[in-house]
Amino acid sequence: MRRIAVVDAPSNLGLRPPTATSVPGCAKAPGALRDNGLLTRLGARDAGCITPPRYDPAGWQPGDGVAQANEIVVFVRRLADRIGTILGAGDFPLVLGGDCSILLGAGLAMRRYAATLDGRIGLVYVDGHSDFRHEGNASYVGAAAGEALALATGRGQANLSAIEQRRPYFRDVDVVLLGIRTHDEYRLDLQAAGIVARAVPELRSNGAARSAQWARDQLRDCAGFWVHIDVDVLDPAVMPAVDAPDVGGIAYRELEILLSGLVSDPRCVGAQVTVFDPDYDPDGRYAAEVTDALVAGLEPLVTSSALVAADLIPPVSAPPVVSAPPVPAPPAVFAPPVSAPPVVSAPPVVSAPPVVSVPPVVSAPPVPAPPESVEALPEQEDDPDPAELDGMEPGRVGMLRPGALAVPFVPAQTVPHREDADGAEPPESPLADVVPAARTPLDEEEPEPAS
């Protein structure tokens, strides 16, 4: 990628004086942009300044042609020489004007440069005005800035439009206009000349990025192109610090996108910025905004420029790798083949011991006889007949099963379960003094049977 090289072109020779005793302030624009750190932020190389001749249009009268034409020619040649030097070094020239007449210096440099190429150099003219005034469509001419495009395309007096007999600097079919107003008085002349233009409403409806691509497509037959930026393409609401503000312009962001889309094309040879006037910017606000817009618009070139500006040492190419000579194989030594040791078989697996059978369950011993305090009935093989139990006296014990505990039998009607109706206490239950023998839990050890 190319490095940006900034050259100052602080010429105001192409403008009329604002008043009878003052001079245009656009000659101060390069200094104002530098004060805002433009070169540092772009990582650009400082390519110096072309000092213009003294501004003095005194004595000019309508019909005299372009005012200060001879001084402009001197300045144009110097600027063309400096631009050629920058291109010869392989850098990207960024020219800080100055008024629009510095286009003649860029045009002369492009015509010289085209002679070294196999092709032509085109022009993208981003401007709020067409600057297409010449003797063929105006009663007289005077300020070269308002006639810059007409002179650059070969129209007008020869001492400006045909320096070194290189008329025209740009062919009509190789010129594209962006950002002019719909009320521009020379739009019909542009159409008649075959110069394509896209006014602000059309530019906005298509978008800034697509408009930049459209301009590049119009110059597809060119080997390269130069970009001219006049900050009066911006609307006066955001940029009033120009010599001829005109309503209906674009915004800063649109200008940034346009510029970025143009310089991203490798065929873009260089660019210039014109007409910013610090005399209308007492607090420096607009100078800072123009600087920001240029840095954003030139972003495709900034990264590579910053790397080169840092004076980085180019990487040293590594020496060729020398392959090592092949290492000769050692002589083969005969050795008898070593037989593998016999495989030792694993010891046999010892079978598990036989499972010991569980001993038979010993039946529980018979329940011992109840204690002597409880009267036991003689053993009976079968349950007593219920008819026999009916004649037994209350409190007698009957044995239902052999070996069972003796439990006194109490008729149900003799054991009241609630108070009598007259409130007398019920008779004491015959079971009150009888305590049954404790039963042995099943999981406790049974007692030894009696011998």
Side-chain angles (χ1 to χ4, degrees):
M1 296 292 290
R2 296 164 294 173
R3 180 180 180 181
I4 299 175
V6 176
V7 55
D8 294 356
S11 173
N12 53 10
L13 298 172
L15 292 175
R16 299 187 182 95
T19 65
T21 59
S22 63
V23 297
C26 63
K28 306 171 185 177
L33 298 179
R34 284 174 176 262
D35 287 345
N36 279 274
L38 179 62
L39 273 68
T40 301
R41 296 173 64 184
L42 292 177
R45 176 172 68 88
D46 190 345
C49 175
I50 308 300
T51 304
R54 181 171 178 267
Y55 180 88
D56 185 10
W60 176 89
Q61 297 293 329
D64 291 346
V66 177
Q68 306 179 99
N70 294 331
E71 290 79 5
I72 293 175
V73 171
V74 172
F75 180 80
V76 162
R77 288 180 180 272
R78 293 176 182 172
L79 179 59
D81 293 343
R82 184 66 56 85
I83 293 175
T85 301
I86 296 172
L87 292 175
D91 292 337
F92 182 94
L94 175 62
V95 182
L96 305 181
D99 64 65
C100 291
S101 68
I102 67 172
L103 176 66
L104 302 181
L108 180 59
M110 293 302 100
R111 186 61 190 274
R112 293 174 181 175
Y113 185 59
T116 65
L117 302 176
D118 187 15
R120 307 184 307 273
I121 303 297
L123 172 66
V124 179
Y125 204 74
V126 183
D127 200 309
H129 309 90
S130 64
D131 298 335
F132 204 62
R133 182 178 63 238
H134 55 86
E135 292 90 340
N137 58 18
S139 57
Y140 65 90
V141 295
E147 300 141 14
L149 183 59
L151 292 170
T153 54
R155 297 167 175 86
Q157 57 194 64
N159 65 335
L160 292 175
S161 61
I163 300 174
E164 299 178 359
Q165 291 75 46
R166 297 183 184 271
R167 188 200 319 244
Y169 309 131
F170 302 102
R171 294 174 52 181
D172 292 345
V173 294
D174 297 334
V175 177
V176 179
L177 267 68
L178 293 172
I180 63 173
R181 310 304 196 250
T182 54
H183 52 267
D184 191 286
E185 58 183 320
Y186 302 115
R187 290 193 65 182
L188 295 178
D189 294 328
L190 295 172
Q191 294 178 5
I195 298 176
V196 294
R198 181 167 281 187
V200 171
E202 189 179 4
L203 187 157
R204 283 186 158 169
S205 64
N206 287 276
R210 292 182 180 177
S211 294
Q213 182 61 54
W214 171 80
R216 293 163 56 181
D217 292 342
Q218 300 301 313
L219 303 177
R220 56 183 173 271
D221 295 333
C222 294
F225 59 87
W226 182 265
V227 176
H228 163 87
I229 301 289
D230 187 334
V231 297
D232 68 14
V233 71
L234 296 166
D235 193 87
V238 297
M239 173 44 66
V242 295
D243 69 301
D246 198 355
V247 296
I250 64 176
Y252 274 109
R253 183 55 183 158
E254 291 171 311
L255 177 59
E256 294 168 6
I257 295 173
L258 273 178
L259 182 56
S260 178
L262 293 171
V263 301
S264 62
D265 192 319
R267 296 178 302 150
C268 184
V269 177
Q272 65 184 34
V273 183
T274 63
V275 178
F276 172 60
D277 192 337
D279 284 350
Y280 300 107
D281 184 24
D283 59 358
R285 167 190 172 187
Y286 302 116
E289 292 178 348
V290 172
T291 302
D292 292 341
L294 291 176
V295 172
L298 295 171
E299 178 62 28
L301 301 173
V302 169
T303 303
S304 60
S305 298
L307 293 176
V308 178
D311 295 329
L312 297 179
I313 300 175
V316 179
S317 58
V321 178
V322 179
S323 59
V327 179
V333 179
F334 174 77
V338 180
S339 60
V343 179
V344 180
S345 59
V349 178
V350 180
S351 60
V355 179
V356 180
S357 61
V358 179
V361 179
V362 181
S363 60
V367 179
E372 295 179 357
S373 62
V374 181
E375 182 182 357
L377 294 178
E379 293 185 1
Q380 297 181 9
E381 295 180 359
D382 297 324
D383 291 340
D385 189 357
E388 298 178 359
L389 297 176
D390 291 339
M392 296 179 67
E393 296 179 4
R396 297 290 294 173
V397 178
M399 197 60 129
L400 301 181
R401 289 286 188 273
L405 294 177
V407 179
F409 177 77
V410 181
Q413 67 272 14
T414 63
V415 181
H417 62 278
R418 58 184 174 83
E419 294 184 356
D420 293 339
D422 57 0
E425 292 293 332
E428 186 176 354
S429 173
L431 300 178
D433 297 331
V434 179
V435 179
R439 302 192 62 169
T440 303
L442 295 179
D443 57 350
E444 293 183 2
E445 184 179 359
E446 296 292 343
E448 293 290 337
S451 59

